[in-house]
Amino acid sequence: MEYKVEAHRIMSISLGKIYNSRVQRGGIKLHKNLLVSLVLRSARQVYLSDYYGGACLGSQRAEAGEWAEGETMESLEGRSSPGAAGADSCESETESRETLRAPETNAQASVEVAAERNAEEPASSSDYNWPQGGETDEERAPGQAEDSTQVPSCPVPESRFECGAANADEGPQSPAAAAPCCTRKRSAGKSPYAGSPVKRPRPGSVPPANTEGGDASEDMDTGNVSSLITIFGSSFSGLLSKDGAQAEPGAADGDSGSGTICCEQMLPNLSPWSTAIVAF
Amino acid sequence: MAGVGGGNDFQWCFSQVKGAIDEDVAEADIISTVEFNYSGELLATGDKGGRVVIFQREQESKNRPHSRGEYNVYSTFQSHEPEFDYLKSLEIEEKINKIRWLPQQNAAHFLLSTNDKTIKLWKISERDKRAEGYNLKDEDGRLRDPFRITSLRVPVLMPMDLMVEASPRRIFANAHTYHINSISVNSDHETYLSADDLRINLWHLEITDRSFNIVDIKPANMEELTEVITAAECHPHQCNVFVYSSSKGTIRLCDMRAAALCDRHTKFFEEPEDPSSRSFFSEIISSISDVKFSHSGRYMMTRDYLSVKVWDLNMENRPVETYQVHEYLRSKLCSLYENDCIFDKFECCWNGSDGAIMTGSYNNFFRMFDRNTRKDVTLEASRESSKPRAVLKPRKVCTGGKRKKDEISVDSLDFNKKILHTAWHPKENVIAVAATNNLYIFQDKIN
């Protein structure tokens, strides 16, 4: 799945940009980092949606077709347009929507201690020609996790690249202007999923997607990412220490503490690349 | 208004180029803003080194009636210096983000220049006389002992070589937490607004120790941030109206009479997104980099990464005109994201009659669109076509298939040569185009 490679590459590039923005002259540029975080989030959505789409199909059809495709990710020849590839993935995901929830929730649960979303932002349109769909809590879950690693001064807004599997039947959505996006606070004190009844923390078990991610990561170049993962892994204080000077002090303080707990649990269990992904 | 296409009588000619020819361009010399004053007599540029250079147009010479007035250096001064915010451990760049002229009220000229944090009001005045004949000082300049002075001699004003002085008259500091992206002088000539990523402040030109905050989109929880302010401008005639654009591709028009804090817009301009063109980078390319009212005040123009849109202030749901600047880049967005070009903030400008608009592109190309004839033209600011009064040849980018002669393929474009800043003379067909460290001035051909 070439677009998955593309998504991975874009994520690496985005991480690099956020990292470099710390040392750029003139301070961190809020606008640019906001845009980069949007791209990062979108890429992650694509990457993970296929991630779990493959897992669901595998479990449904009892075959490893999707994973076999994943093994060929290292071939970069002929990057297909994201739309074409994404559409296929999404349609299959539509069918396996129900089961999709569980693995996604799994991954989020094992990593995320983030607070619930306060409000919803409508998915204004889908990515890659996917049918328009409403937002669901489980779809936002990936986005929540991603928030926690963002620079405080450049928080990740709610992604509009939700895999719009179904039509908007989740209830009326308020205009984007009024919607705050999911918080990136990871304070241990808060209940992670107070606002999302679907999510259930399942300790330990990460879906078989993890294995696939491990294989894939061997094929992918994680050299640059490893150093970034180290930063993210060390309770995000690597990013926050410099950014906190400009960002809200409260947000910075709140994140650096609880981030440690989460990442230390995850790091021994996952391959480096998967760590970076789920850490988002 | 003359046409922009190459087909009719109108043609653009090279007039002048300012700046060094060196291949190695010092970062400090990169031009970061260009602005004509209200009469077009003066042309100001700001650069990344914090300097302002003002050019003045010479009076047309009777000896050479066919040569239009040239712009020559009038004044150069250091407007902003690099600073360091010790509290936040941040360096504040001296780069001049914007220059805006004030309407001229007396012999002196006034302009506002701003970097990321501080706005300064500069007075540029001429001095061509000097008082001479004081008998209060010795020849070596020391003050004479008052007891030794027995008569009063009134000094006489003697002509001297013209000296242009720039002095900072006001410094408007400490009002912006985030990076200032826009300043705009109000039509009342007493106030102006300054906008950063999250806030817009209203200042009085005479008062430096306080300003009114009129827009604040900072969320209570910064993690909920979804958009930032990218540009703001005052309406050219209605002193109570201003607009600001956002990174989400929306424009809000606000009326200061409605409330002290204009967080709720009066009008909201947004074009529905085309879902078929969604990609990873849809949000980046929809971010508006510049917004400009037309001189008439009836329309406004916005620039996003790939297009320029003209909006009628009376219609909020879509623009009345959309012009594609370089649509061929749409398939290259990933590469442009990698090399950061996708974050380039292009500006746009109207001509004096609002009949044409201009904006920049890559490879030192700039584009002009005639709103009446719907013709457009791509021109290049290059040293090769810099012979006096040489007519600019329209350029064309080959988007696919067989490349014709004189066309340039998309892959050959130089993305380091970008034209972000352009300005159009308020009354005549004279344009100033900033290409990295060079300022090109083009005029229409006199037939």
Side-chain angles (χ1 to χ4, degrees):
Chain A
M1 283 167 272
E2 290 147 347
Y3 67 90
K4 196 169 169 191
V5 175
E6 179 71 5
H8 167 268
R9 196 167 75 88
I10 289 174
M11 287 169 68
S12 303
I13 293 167
S14 304
L15 283 174
K17 287 189 194 297
I18 292 176
Y19 184 61
N20 288 333
S21 72
R22 300 173 54 197
V23 299
Q24 271 171 0
R25 209 175 155 237
I28 294 166
K29 295 180 175 35
L30 184 62
H31 183 202
K32 180 176 175 184
N33 279 275
L34 179 66
L35 296 176
V36 170
S37 66
L38 290 174
V39 172
L40 181 60
R41 193 187 175 99
S42 315
R44 185 185 168 280
Q45 290 277 347
V46 167
Y47 188 86
L48 284 179
S49 62
D50 175 67
Y51 211 52
Y52 298 111
C56 295
L57 285 173
S59 63
Q60 270 194 339
R61 302 172 189 172
E63 62 186 16
E66 293 293 325
W67 303 124
E69 274 186 47
E71 293 301 326
T72 61
M73 259 188 292
E74 64 270 21
S75 84
L76 290 170
E77 55 199 33
R79 274 193 340 229
S80 60
S81 77
D88 296 335
S89 162
C90 187
E91 281 155 19
S92 56
E93 190 169 328
T94 307
E95 303 164 37
S96 58
R97 195 167 146 72
E98 289 303 310
T99 36
L100 178 62
R101 291 181 189 175
E104 272 191 349
T105 312
N106 260 346
Q108 300 317 313
S110 53
V111 179
E112 191 183 85
V113 194
E116 73 284 10
R117 290 173 51 76
N118 298 324
E120 298 169 357
E121 184 177 328
S124 55
S125 62
S126 331
D127 194 11
Y128 311 121
N129 304 321
W130 292 340
Q132 295 234 358
E135 263 186 3
T136 61
D137 292 343
E138 59 272 27
E139 297 294 7
R140 289 196 302 274
Q144 276 192 343
E146 179 182 309
D147 288 347
S148 43
T149 57
Q150 294 305 314
V151 175
S153 64
C154 316
V156 178
E158 177 56 21
S159 169
R160 291 184 280 167
F161 289 94
E162 304 300 341
C163 178
N167 288 327
D169 55 359
E170 303 299 323
Q173 306 287 342
S174 58
C181 59
C182 44
T183 168
R184 59 177 293 262
K185 274 197 187 291
R186 300 179 59 180
S187 56
K190 286 190 188 176
S191 164
Y193 306 107
S196 314
V198 180
K199 291 181 234 173
R200 292 280 180 272
R202 288 197 203 174
S205 67
V206 182
N210 189 31
T211 313
E212 192 263 347
D215 293 335
S217 62
E218 288 166 8
D219 298 323
M220 298 178 199
D221 173 21
T222 55
N224 290 334
V225 182
S226 300
S227 54
L228 293 170
I229 293 167
T230 309
I231 295 169
F232 293 136
S234 60
S235 74
F236 313 106
S237 57
L239 273 180
L240 292 174
S241 58
K242 174 132 183 183
D243 303 339
Q246 194 182 19
E248 301 297 339
D253 294 339
D255 290 320
S256 51
S258 43
T260 316
I261 305 164
C262 201
C263 278
E264 283 170 357
Q265 286 170 351
M266 280 309 298
L267 280 172
N269 296 329
L270 295 179
S271 65
W273 180 239
S274 305
T275 307
I277 295 170
V278 297
F280 288 147
Chain B
M1 205 319 273
V4 295
N8 48 15
D9 291 341
F10 185 82
Q11 285 176 315
W12 288 100
C13 305
F14 171 82
S15 174
Q16 296 170 274
V17 60
K18 308 284 187 191
I21 312 177
D22 288 341
E23 279 298 317
D24 289 332
V25 177
E27 171 132 3
D29 293 335
I30 296 175
I31 298 170
S32 52
T33 184
V34 183
E35 187 81 357
F36 280 99
N37 74 337
Y38 283 78
S39 64
E41 181 207 357
L42 297 176
L43 175 61
T45 62
D47 62 24
K48 282 194 173 182
R51 291 164 301 199
V52 172
V53 180
I54 300 176
F55 301 92
Q56 183 187 42
R57 199 178 197 192
E58 290 201 351
Q59 300 302 317
E60 293 187 22
S61 164
K62 293 196 178 70
N63 298 332
R64 294 193 302 165
H66 291 295
S67 121
R68 290 283 195 84
E70 287 191 340
Y71 283 86
N72 298 319
V73 177
Y74 180 64
S75 173
T76 304
F77 56 93
Q78 185 76 31
S79 171
H80 287 73
E81 299 273 3
E83 289 173 51
F84 197 81
D85 182 338
Y86 296 98
L87 190 63
K88 298 176 184 173
S89 294
L90 288 177
E91 191 179 4
I92 300 169
E93 275 189 287
E94 67 277 26
K95 173 171 81 95
I96 307 294
N97 291 334
K98 284 288 182 325
I99 289 175
R100 290 287 181 262
W101 289 93
L102 266 58
Q104 191 175 9
Q105 289 171 332
N106 51 36
H109 295 97
F110 289 86
L111 61 79
L112 288 168
S113 68
T114 184
N115 68 348
D116 284 338
K117 296 288 183 187
T118 304
I119 306 142
K120 295 187 183 180
L121 175 68
W122 288 89
K123 175 181 179 183
I124 297 104
S125 51
E126 294 181 4
R127 188 194 293 269
D128 62 354
K129 293 183 186 54
R130 179 173 52 217
E132 287 179 9
Y134 285 99
N135 65 336
L136 299 175
K137 289 185 186 172
D138 283 339
E139 279 159 12
D140 56 3
R142 284 187 308 170
L143 285 171
R144 285 173 66 185
D145 186 1
F147 294 112
R148 311 251 303 274
I149 301 169
T150 55
S151 65
L152 179 68
R153 193 163 73 210
V154 178
V156 178
L157 289 174
M158 302 295 289
M160 59 178 259
D161 290 339
L162 178 67
M163 195 167 70
V164 181
E165 299 172 317
S167 59
R169 304 303 281 181
R170 305 272 187 276
I171 296 179
F172 306 91
N174 302 321
H176 285 281
T177 308
Y178 301 93
H179 294 84
I180 296 174
N181 53 52
S182 311
I183 48 174
S184 179
V185 182
N186 209 344
S187 55
D188 61 7
H189 302 166
E190 284 186 354
T191 58
Y192 73 96
L193 62 76
S194 61
D196 66 24
D197 290 323
L198 296 178
R199 297 192 178 100
I200 301 180
N201 293 334
L202 184 71
W203 301 83
H204 192 283
L205 285 164
E206 299 290 332
I207 300 169
T208 59
D209 61 354
R210 67 201 115 103
S211 67
F212 289 105
N213 174 244
I214 52 177
V215 173
D216 187 343
I217 65 167
K218 184 177 174 196
N221 189 353
M222 271 298 274
E223 297 153 11
E224 298 159 10
L225 182 74
T226 56
E227 65 182 328
V228 297
I229 297 169
T230 53
E233 197 179 41
C234 292
H235 192 278
H237 309 307
Q238 298 169 27
C239 57
N240 52 297
V241 171
F242 66 95
V243 292
Y244 67 93
S245 60
S246 82
S247 56
K248 278 190 173 175
T250 63
I251 308 102
R252 289 171 176 81
L253 184 145
C254 300
D255 187 333
M256 289 190 268
R257 298 172 300 187
L261 192 59
C262 298
D263 278 358
R264 282 191 303 183
H265 50 264
T266 304
K267 294 196 182 185
F268 182 73
F269 298 85
E270 185 179 29
E271 183 174 30
E273 194 178 353
D274 176 15
S276 63
S277 61
R278 274 300 256 210
S279 74
F280 281 130
F281 310 105
S282 297
E283 270 155 334
I284 299 188
I285 63 171
S286 67
S287 174
I288 291 173
S289 53
D290 193 18
V291 64
K292 289 265 173 46
F293 277 106
S294 64
H295 292 92
S296 63
R298 165 85 188 264
Y299 299 96
M300 67 178 175
M301 164 168 59
T302 58
R303 175 72 156 99
D304 51 70
Y305 190 64
L306 295 179
S307 67
V308 181
K309 296 178 182 174
V310 175
W311 302 77
D312 186 326
L313 293 188
N314 300 316
M315 186 162 76
E316 299 171 50
N317 59 351
R318 60 177 174 83
V320 289
E321 296 155 30
T322 301
Y323 301 95
Q324 299 301 332
V325 180
H326 36 218
E327 183 68 12
Y328 47 79
L329 295 182
R330 193 180 286 273
S331 55
K332 309 272 179 204
L333 291 179
C334 194
S335 313
L336 295 167
Y337 178 70
E338 283 183 64
N339 62 18
D340 272 0
C341 284
I342 206 172
F343 301 105
D344 287 335
K345 296 192 181 166
F346 291 95
E347 292 175 6
C348 52
C349 59
W350 299 85
N351 76 336
S353 65
D354 298 337
I357 56 183
M358 170 168 64
T359 188
S361 179
Y362 293 103
N363 208 71
N364 277 356
F365 288 171
F366 57 99
R367 302 262 284 140
M368 282 188 195
F369 304 94
D370 187 324
R371 296 179 63 214
N372 301 319
T373 64
R374 293 303 171 121
K375 286 188 186 168
D376 62 273
V377 68
T378 305
L379 301 171
E380 183 180 2
S382 71
R383 290 274 175 179
E384 285 74 36
S385 55
S386 300
K387 297 175 188 50
R389 294 192 295 282
V391 173
L392 289 181
K393 197 173 67 174
R395 303 304 308 264
K396 195 153 165 53
V397 176
C398 167
T399 53
K402 206 161 167 350
R403 185 175 75 88
K404 300 195 189 84
K405 182 173 169 280
D406 287 345
E407 282 187 359
I408 183 167
S409 70
V410 180
D411 298 316
S412 309
L413 294 174
D414 187 345
F415 290 96
N416 292 320
K417 292 186 183 173
K418 53 192 83 169
I419 292 180
L420 304 174
H421 311 287
T422 59
W424 206 313
H425 190 289
K427 298 185 176 68
E428 297 178 26
N429 282 321
V430 178
I431 55 175
V433 173
T436 317
N437 64 326
N438 292 139
L439 183 72
Y440 287 81
I441 299 173
F442 302 106
Q443 297 181 354
D444 61 347
K445 188 181 172 83
I446 305 165
N447 294 314

